[in-house]
Amino acid sequence: RVGLGDFGLIRVLGKGSMGKVILARKKDTSRLYALKCVNRNYILNDGLCKYVIEEQAILKHISTERDDSDGPTSLHPFVAKMQFSFADSHHLVFVMDVYSGGDLEKLLREKKYFNAALTRFYAMEIVSALEYLNENGIVHRDLKPANILLDCDGHVVVADFGLSKRLTSEAPTSNLPCGSTRYMSPEVIARNAYSYSPDWWALGVMIYEMLTGKLPFPSPPDESSYTLMDKICQSEVVIPKKLPVHTKDIIARLLDHNVVTRLSRLDIKKHPYFQRVDWSKVRAKGYSRTSISVTIIPTNDTFSNTRSKGGKYPGYVASQVP
């Protein structure tokens, strides 16, 4: 039986309200993994168990080759993979593949904004991932740059399915208000029934942010979340005039308050913003991004189990798991 003792803990990659994500090396194979360690007491005390169970089921579904009618059978290169999971008396642990290029949020913070070509490159890979998730009945519900990881070649990996939901014919919609406020869609804020539309709104926010370095609905540090929510629901986005016509149009159509006319997986690939894109080539990682630096997680023994150094990933002592 696999347990935390079978891994050498190297460093904390991220911390959240329910636990930590830790870079670790499996002792018998020396292979690196990202361990998402969820504190069992926390989720039981706060009644969050059903969300963790849902996340585990979704990760298993998108990480397993299937030969049935339950969605596309092949794994998708732009969606995070779980190798396996296990539990002990204190933790539920998802053993995830490691993606060593950082994430889109850190890259945006470093570069301020991206040029048109790089933005389009990331956008078309995210579209490919969202199409796959939607076809498998999955709405992510927390799509944002921090949850778009990058592999060593700079390709995107949609990650963190902690707020995701799998829709079914019996329950084709949800009205749970969740996600990160700045990327939250009007229908989520209003607690209206929705299916996949929040993810496409979030994509519109990210395209705007990648091109301008700003959010379409800016929020001062001292502004309350409720004020920002009102702004998102009641304001029309102001798109910079300097952007090309097709770019302005796709942003406007993704940030459409009307979920019926908002772009979705059914029509977004046909938008002129993506003209001449070979979508089979996208999924095959046939396009490469323009030259831009990526910081890689070292795969040697630079990091010990009790000490971590600075750099792209702020280090924490990883000897204690919450």
Side-chain angles (χ1 to χ4, degrees):
R1 182 179 177 181
V2 178
L4 279 176
D6 295 300
F7 296 87
L9 306 182
I10 299 173
R11 68 183 306 184
V12 174
L13 299 178
K15 299 175 71 175
S17 58
M18 292 193 294
K20 297 179 181 179
V21 178
I22 299 175
L23 179 66
R25 190 186 304 277
K26 198 162 187 293
K27 294 176 180 178
D28 60 346
T29 63
S30 295
R31 180 174 173 178
L32 286 174
Y33 293 99
L35 306 184
K36 181 172 182 177
C37 303
V38 182
N39 188 313
R40 292 183 67 170
N41 289 332
Y42 180 91
I43 61 176
L44 290 174
N45 292 339
D46 282 31
L48 300 174
C49 188
K50 64 179 181 180
Y51 299 109
V52 177
I53 292 173
E54 178 88 344
E55 180 182 11
Q56 184 181 33
I58 287 173
L59 285 171
K60 184 177 180 180
H61 182 81
I62 61 180
S63 304
T64 305
E65 293 276 5
R66 297 177 304 282
D67 186 19
D68 56 29
S69 59
D70 196 20
T73 59
S74 59
L75 304 183
H76 199 284
F78 305 139
V79 176
K81 307 296 185 300
M82 179 180 73
Q83 293 300 322
F84 56 93
S85 61
F86 62 88
D88 59 24
S89 57
H90 300 292
H91 312 98
L92 175 61
V93 181
F94 301 148
V95 181
M96 309 291 297
D97 286 343
V98 171
Y99 303 99
S100 56
D103 61 58
L104 212 54
E105 181 183 59
K106 291 183 177 71
L107 195 59
L108 257 176
R109 193 180 301 148
E110 177 185 331
K111 301 297 180 181
K112 307 302 182 186
Y113 61 89
F114 301 151
N115 62 32
L118 187 59
T119 298
R120 188 166 174 261
F121 170 79
Y122 287 136
M124 63 191 190
E125 292 196 340
I126 295 170
V127 165
S128 182
L130 286 182
E131 178 186 45
Y132 169 83
L133 292 173
N134 288 182
E135 287 175 348
N136 277 273
I138 298 164
V139 53
H140 189 281
R141 300 202 294 194
D142 197 21
L143 203 66
K144 58 184 179 181
N147 288 338
I148 306 296
L149 306 183
L150 303 173
D151 69 14
C152 60
D153 296 314
H155 295 286
V156 309
V157 182
V158 176
D160 196 346
F161 292 86
L163 293 178
S164 300
K165 182 174 180 60
R166 191 153 185 226
L167 304 177
T168 65
S169 56
E170 292 78 21
T173 62
S174 174
N175 63 357
L176 180 71
C178 62
S180 301
T181 307
R182 293 177 177 181
Y183 302 88
M184 205 178 285
S185 65
E187 65 272 16
V188 172
I189 293 171
R191 302 193 180 197
N192 294 332
Y194 59 82
S195 56
Y196 308 108
S197 58
D199 289 349
W200 298 101
W201 173 278
L203 174 62
V205 175
M206 288 194 293
I207 291 176
Y208 185 105
E209 185 178 10
M210 286 189 285
L211 286 168
T212 67
K214 301 175 182 179
L215 290 162
F217 303 97
S219 174
D222 59 345
E223 184 175 77
S224 72
S225 295
Y226 296 106
T227 301
L228 176 57
M229 288 178 184
D230 287 341
K231 192 182 299 182
I232 291 170
C233 290
Q234 298 173 14
S235 304
E236 294 296 328
V237 62
V238 178
I239 303 173
K241 294 181 179 180
K242 65 180 181 180
L243 295 179
V245 173
H246 294 328
T247 303
K248 288 189 289 188
D249 187 72
I250 197 170
I251 292 172
R253 295 188 64 190
L254 285 168
L255 298 182
D256 185 348
H257 286 68
N258 187 337
V259 297
V260 176
T261 53
R262 186 181 305 161
L263 286 175
S264 70
R265 71 177 177 88
L266 300 176
D267 46 19
I268 192 168
K269 287 182 174 181
K270 300 175 184 177
H271 192 278
Y273 179 74
F274 293 117
Q275 61 185 332
R276 293 190 296 275
V277 170
D278 181 340
W279 290 99
S280 297
K281 185 177 178 180
V282 171
R283 181 159 174 162
K285 294 186 175 181
Y287 291 97
S288 61
R289 62 183 191 168
T290 54
S291 176
I292 195 164
S293 62
V294 176
T295 300
I296 306 300
I297 298 175
T299 55
N300 54 28
D301 292 322
T302 301
F303 305 112
S304 70
N305 287 351
T306 58
R307 180 181 300 173
S308 61
K309 300 180 180 180
K312 197 77 168 182
Y313 298 88
Y316 300 88
V317 174
S319 57
Q320 296 293 324
V321 182

